[in-house]
Amino acid sequence: MGTDTKIKICGIKDLATLELCHELSVDYVGLNFSPRSPRGINRSGAEEILSIRHLPGFPKLVFLFFENSIEEIRTLTKEFKPDLIQLIRGDHFLTKEIWESYTNQKQLLPAIRIQSPIISDEELEPQSSLVILDSFQKGLGGGSGHVFPWEYVTNVKRPYLLAGGITPNNVQLALNTLKPYGIDVASGVETDGKKDPNKIKELVQNVRNV
């Protein structure tokens, strides 16, 4: 199973981290444009680090938005054409129209912050081929470093990336407990608020050795 488990590293702000993710054949890389996030990146920063996007085997590119204006979301996605658009359920900035537009383009990657047990997949709205299940922290769209009770999502059959406090130390337990489609990590591979190359390498190794 380990080699099939997808890995997403989110909140990348520098070229060296993006290059490392490419070298390690990480499956998804996330750039966070939220004005709320300490991992937030702007257009010029994204343009600079995405200079390597043309390389063979480059990971799928995910843009994360939380409390961004709809105009900003549309402008950035039109310019950079990311593979997936990560939107947070419960973000009051978003309209039904914006959700539906990315659902129809098959770009939508909804992040659902888990606060109670999920009884069936029908609860995981909006519909998409892949979803992120994350912990809830008020005012944050993700990257809080908090683990939610994994037993809350044992009934979920839909492919999902497990987020919320995943680290190199607990990732094997998470995979053995839930067997998700993949994992989504931001703070879990950081030291003092910056991406730590050794933690990224350790995480990838631990996932692929399950």
Side-chain angles (χ1 to χ4, degrees), residues 46-64:
E47 184 178 39
E48 181 180 341
I49 69 172
L50 289 176
S51 59
I52 65 166
R53 191 183 180 188
H54 65 281
L55 295 175
F58 189 81
K60 287 190 176 180
L61 179 63
V62 181
F63 276 12
L64 184 158

Side-chain angles (χ1 to χ4, degrees), residues 43 63 65 69-82 98 102:
R43 184 208 158 279
F63 276 12
F65 298 102
S69 70
I70 291 174
E71 181 183 1
E72 185 178 16
I73 294 172
R74 285 181 168 147
T75 299
L76 288 167
T77 55
K78 183 177 181 180
E79 178 177 359
F80 290 101
K81 297 179 174 55
I98 200 86
Y102 291 117

Side-chain angles (χ1 to χ4, degrees), residues 89-105:
R89 192 173 74 173
D91 183 351
H92 63 280
F93 278 63
L94 300 180
T95 64
K96 183 179 180 183
E97 180 187 358
I98 200 86
W99 284 105
E100 289 178 347
S101 66
Y102 291 117
T103 302
N104 293 338
Q105 295 175 54

Side-chain angles (χ1 to χ4, degrees), residues 129-144:
S129 58
L130 182 63
V131 68
I132 293 172
L133 303 182
D134 200 353
S135 56
F136 176 84
Q137 292 291 307
K138 188 174 181 179
L140 293 176
S144 68

Side-chain angles (χ1 to χ4, degrees), residues 1-8 27-28 60 84 109 129-131 156-162 175 178-184 207:
M1 168 188 164
T3 54
D4 297 330
T5 304
K6 305 303 180 185
I7 301 171
K8 176 172 175 272
D27 302 281
Y28 301 87
K60 287 190 176 180
L84 293 167
L109 178 58
S129 58
L130 182 63
V131 68
V156 176
K157 303 294 189 290
R158 186 166 155 194
Y160 66 88
L161 301 178
L162 179 66
L175 297 182
L178 291 176
K179 296 180 172 48
Y181 177 77
I183 50 121
D184 183 0
V207 169

